[in-house]
Amino acid sequence: MKDRLEMRFAGSGGQGVILASVILAEAAVISGLNAVQSQAYGPEARGGVSKAETILGREKIWYSKVSTPDFLLALTQASLEKYGKEMAADGLVMIDESLTVPDWMDRGRVIAIPILRTAREEVGKAFTANIVAVGAINRALGLFDDGTLTEGVRRHIPAGTEEINAKALAAGAALIRPEGNKEGI
Amino acid sequence: MSKAILMQGNEAAVEGAITAGMRFFAGYPITPSTEIAEQSALRLPQVGGKFIQMEDEISSIAAVLGASAAGLKAMTATSGPGFSLMQENLGYGVMAEIPCVIIDVQRAGPSTGLATSPSQGDYMQARWGTHGDHPVIALSPSSVLETYTLIIRAFNLAEKYRTPVIFLMDEIVGHMREGVELPDPGGLIINRRKMSFHDGANKQCYFVPEGEYVPAMKPFGQGERYNITGLAHDESGFPVNSNEIAGKLVGRLLDKVEKNADDICRVEEFAMDDADTAIVCFGGTARAAMDAVLAARAAGKKVGMFRPVTVWPFPEKALLARLPQLRQILMVEHNHGQMLLELQRVTRCARPIHFLGRVDGTVISPSDILGKLNEMEGTHHAE
C-alpha cells in the first residue's frame, strides 16, 4: 500500500456504500494504520446520491476529505460519471458490470465486476452487495489479511449475520482474478 | 492488533458524556446530530440512566433542566433549527443556574438550510441566541478524541459554574470517524456541590458567600422545598421587583464567567512559536488548517495555527499574547465572518485581518487556505 490512500465510494442511498467505507476504515484501525472516514448524502433515507470517503495512511490524517482519489467504487451510472472525472492519474475505478464505462475514461484503470448480481444470486441477498464490494476491494488493492477484514466487518453488522457476511466477503474476493491487479496500488 | 477502535464524533460525544456522569438525555433527533440521540438511547439504560425522545426541542431542553434540577447530570443534542427553539429555555437555565450540556452539531442554514452539510454559522447564536445580558460558556472540538475529552470538560464546567454549557460541534467532526483509544479520565470528573438547608446558618437556596460567584445546589424534590424561576429573584429563589437585587443577580451571573475566564478559556496552538502569520479557526475547520500550516511551513513560510477550544468566552488573553509577533492574521471559518468580529474586537485591528469563509455547505480545503495565504502576500489590506 502507498503511504496514503484516498478512497471514494459512491452509489445510491441505501446501497450501503457508507458502511463499506466504514468497514475498510475499521480494518485499517485494527491493523494499526491511521484512518479517517466521512460521508456526504442528501436528506433522503433511500435514493439520492450517496458518497463516502475513507483515507488510510501511515501518518496522521488531518483534512478529512478526499481530493484526488486513488480508488473509486461506483455502483450507479450517475455516480460513475460524476466522480470518475476526479481521479488520480493512476487511480483505480471499480464498477458494477451493469454500468457503461464513459468514452473519456481510461478502460485500463477500470475493473468491472458483477457486484450486485453476485450479492443477489450467489450470496442470495441483494443487500450484501456492499460486503461483496468490500471483499473485492480488499483483494484488488491488497489491503488487509482475512482476519483483520472479518473483524472489521463483525464490528459493524448485527449479531447472527456473520455467516452470510462471510459468504459475501469471500464471493467478492473471488471476483478479482489472481492475474489482475496483483501488485495492488 | 491495535486497541484503537473506529468511532464517530457523535458517538464519542455520548461516550464522553457518560464518562462525565450524564444519566439523563432528552432530545428530538435532527441531522447531523441524530447519532447522539441514537447512541444515548442505547447506552443510557446500560448505565442506569434515562433517555426520553421528546415531542420537540423546546420540551427537550425543558426536560433536561428539570432532570438536572432534580440532581442528574443531563444533556440534549440538536442542530441549528432545534437550537433556535431551545433559546428561551437556555436563558431560563442561565438565570436559574441549572447545569446542563447542550450539543449543537451545526449544519448549513439559515432555517432548515442544507440538512446534511457542514457549517459553523451558529457561533454568534451560541453567544447571543437567548435574550438579555447573560454569560455563555461554549466549547468546540476538532477531532473525535477531543470530542470525548472536551465534553467531559463541558460537564465539569457546567457543574463548577452552575450554568448550561454549549458544546458547539459541526458536521465535519460530528460525522467523521477516526481511530481512537479512549483515555482513562482519572480523577477529572467534577460532581455537583450539593447543599442542604441544614448546612450552617444560611438557609437560602441561592445564597452565595462573600467573594464567591456560584451557589451550591440543593437537589429539587428531595424533601426540601424551594423555588426556581426565570424571574429576577433573591437568595430564596422567589421573584422580586427590586432593581438592586436584580442588578446584583445579573452582575453576579456575568461575573462568574468573566472573572473566571482564565480557568474556562483553552486554546490549541500549532507552529506558533516563530509564526508571523496566524491562521485562526475553530472546530472541524482546524483539519484543513493543519494541512495548510504543514504545507506552508514546508514552503518556508512562518505560518501557525491558533485555535480557540473555548469559543465563548473568546480567549482574548492568549490571542493578545501572540499579537506582537504577528504580521497578519487569517480567519478561516465555515460562515460569513462571525468569529472574525471577535478577532477584530479583541485585536482592535492592530494587524491586517484577512478572511476566508464559506456558506454553501461545502468544506474549506487546505488548498483553499494556501491560495488565500498566497493572495495575502500580494495585498495587505484588511477586509
Side-chain angles (χ1 to χ4, degrees):
Chain A
M1 198 190 101
K2 281 184 180 179
D3 284 346
R4 182 183 166 99
L5 188 66
E6 299 197 352
M7 312 172 80
R8 186 173 273 167
F9 309 76
S12 174
Q15 281 184 316
V17 295
I18 293 176
L19 184 59
S21 74
V22 168
I23 287 168
L24 287 163
E26 184 81 71
V29 168
I30 292 168
S31 60
L33 291 169
N34 290 297
V36 171
Q37 183 276 343
S38 65
Q39 61 265 305
Y41 49 85
E44 312 91 339
R46 295 286 178 271
V49 176
S50 180
K51 178 186 74 164
E53 298 179 341
T54 292
I55 305 174
L56 312 180
R58 302 193 195 283
E59 302 289 324
K60 169 88 186 166
I61 300 156
W62 294 108
Y63 184 58
S64 57
K65 306 289 176 187
V66 162
S67 43
T68 47
D70 303 295
F71 174 81
L72 169 69
L73 170 73
L75 292 182
T76 63
Q77 192 67 34
S79 58
L80 175 63
E81 312 246 348
K82 181 168 183 191
Y83 298 115
K85 289 178 179 155
E86 298 170 5
M87 299 296 296
D90 60 350
L92 182 71
V93 179
M94 181 181 286
I95 62 172
D96 187 71
E97 61 172 0
S98 60
L99 308 190
T100 308
V101 180
D103 293 339
W104 46 263
M105 190 173 270
D106 175 5
R107 286 175 172 273
R109 303 302 305 167
V110 178
I111 304 179
I113 50 175
I115 295 168
L116 303 176
R117 180 160 57 85
T118 300
R120 205 170 48 238
E121 294 173 9
E122 199 176 317
V123 185
K125 295 281 181 194
F127 62 72
T128 62
N130 55 345
I131 307 296
V132 171
V134 166
I137 294 164
N138 188 56
R139 176 69 61 87
L141 300 181
L143 294 176
F144 310 109
D145 62 53
D146 287 351
T148 301
L149 190 64
T150 301
E151 174 61 13
V153 172
R154 189 198 61 78
R155 291 186 186 180
H156 294 279
I157 57 169
T161 64
E162 292 85 357
E163 203 173 318
I164 193 161
N165 280 301
K167 194 175 171 188
L169 266 189
L175 294 176
I176 305 301
R177 293 185 310 274
E179 67 273 19
N181 308 291
K182 263 189 302 198
E183 75 285 10
I185 281 195
Chain B
M1 189 182 280
S2 166
K3 275 188 283 183
I5 53 167
L6 189 74
M7 187 175 272
Q8 193 186 49
N10 282 345
E11 292 169 353
V14 176
E15 290 307 315
I18 287 176
T19 300
M22 185 254 290
R23 291 298 179 269
F24 183 87
F25 182 102
Y28 185 81
I30 178 171
T31 301
S33 77
T34 301
E35 295 85 358
I36 297 173
E38 280 180 339
Q39 195 71 7
S40 295
L42 180 74
R43 292 284 284 118
L44 275 172
Q46 296 171 356
V47 295
K50 295 259 189 307
F51 168 92
I52 307 180
Q53 178 167 329
M54 302 296 292
E55 69 267 31
D56 61 25
E57 289 87 348
I58 298 173
S59 57
S60 296
I61 188 169
V64 161
L65 293 176
S68 178
L72 291 181
K73 289 189 180 181
M75 179 171 94
T76 187
T78 187
S79 187
F83 193 46
S84 292
L85 288 173
M86 290 183 181
Q87 293 302 327
E88 184 183 5
N89 273 337
L90 172 56
Y92 184 93
V94 171
M95 189 63 152
E97 297 182 79
I98 302 175
C100 62
V101 173
I102 299 159
I103 303 180
D104 173 13
V105 188
Q106 299 165 89
R107 69 188 215 185
S111 189
T112 29
L114 292 164
T116 56
S117 298
S119 161
Q120 297 180 315
D122 303 350
Y123 176 67
M124 278 295 171
Q125 186 188 22
R127 180 67 190 88
W128 298 112
T130 195
H131 56 276
D133 286 281
H134 61 278
V136 163
I137 299 175
L139 313 178
S140 185
S142 72
S143 73
V144 173
L145 179 61
E146 194 189 32
T147 300
Y148 177 83
T149 55
L150 195 61
I151 202 159
I152 295 174
R153 184 148 198 271
F155 274 92
N156 283 345
L157 291 172
E159 293 298 329
K160 190 170 179 182
Y161 295 106
R162 258 192 89 167
T163 192
V165 170
I166 295 162
F167 200 67
L168 200 60
M169 296 176 67
D170 49 52
E171 195 273 348
I172 299 171
V173 174
H175 271 169
M176 179 172 66
R177 287 178 177 86
E178 287 183 289
V180 289
E181 279 185 58
L182 299 182
D184 182 346
L188 295 176
I189 309 299
I190 296 176
N191 286 312
R192 194 158 300 178
R193 200 156 55 91
K194 285 181 187 167
M195 171 194 192
S196 156
F197 279 92
H198 307 296
D199 288 346
N202 194 287
K203 293 182 166 46
Q204 305 290 338
C205 60
Y206 282 99
F207 167 71
V208 181
E210 193 65 31
E212 289 188 29
Y213 299 100
V214 188
M217 197 166 177
K218 300 171 196 296
F220 197 77
Q222 294 183 22
E224 294 173 315
R225 296 170 64 181
Y226 66 102
N227 194 53
I228 300 177
T229 178
L231 288 164
H233 48 271
D234 62 15
E235 288 182 350
S236 75
F238 280 94
V240 290
N241 253 334
S242 157
N243 301 109
E244 189 194 342
I245 291 174
K248 270 172 99 172
L249 170 61
V250 176
R252 178 176 64 76
L253 293 179
L254 293 167
D255 277 351
K256 74 178 176 181
V257 170
E258 275 173 25
K259 304 244 189 235
N260 290 296
D262 286 350
D263 178 49
I264 295 166
C265 287
R266 293 283 185 280
V267 301
E268 185 199 28
E269 295 185 324
F270 179 70
M272 281 300 293
D273 282 353
D274 65 340
D276 65 12
T277 300
I279 298 174
V280 180
C281 61
F282 66 100
T285 309
R287 314 291 299 205
M290 283 296 294
D291 275 348
V293 169
L294 290 169
R297 285 276 168 181
K301 293 180 183 167
K302 290 186 174 176
V303 177
M305 181 185 76
F306 181 95
R307 175 172 72 91
V309 176
T310 305
V311 294
W312 293 114
F314 186 85
E316 308 189 5
K317 256 192 199 172
L319 181 68
L320 289 175
R322 286 295 179 195
L323 199 56
Q325 75 186 62
L326 295 176
R327 187 163 58 85
Q328 56 186 356
I329 298 171
L330 172 59
M331 181 74 229
V332 185
E333 53 186 332
H334 287 83
N335 56 46
H336 201 58
Q338 296 192 16
M339 188 176 274
L340 175 67
L341 297 171
E342 275 300 279
L343 212 52
Q344 291 168 336
R345 179 184 70 79
V346 170
T347 63
R348 295 168 189 265
C349 297
R351 297 288 183 280
I353 301 175
H354 300 262
F355 177 67
L356 177 61
R358 192 65 64 78
V359 291
D360 63 359
T362 61
V363 181
I364 296 170
S365 71
S367 60
D368 293 332
I369 298 174
L370 288 167
K372 187 72 189 179
L373 286 170
N374 286 335
E375 186 189 311
M376 282 158 57
E377 293 307 325
T379 60
H380 280 291
H381 305 295
E383 286 167 24

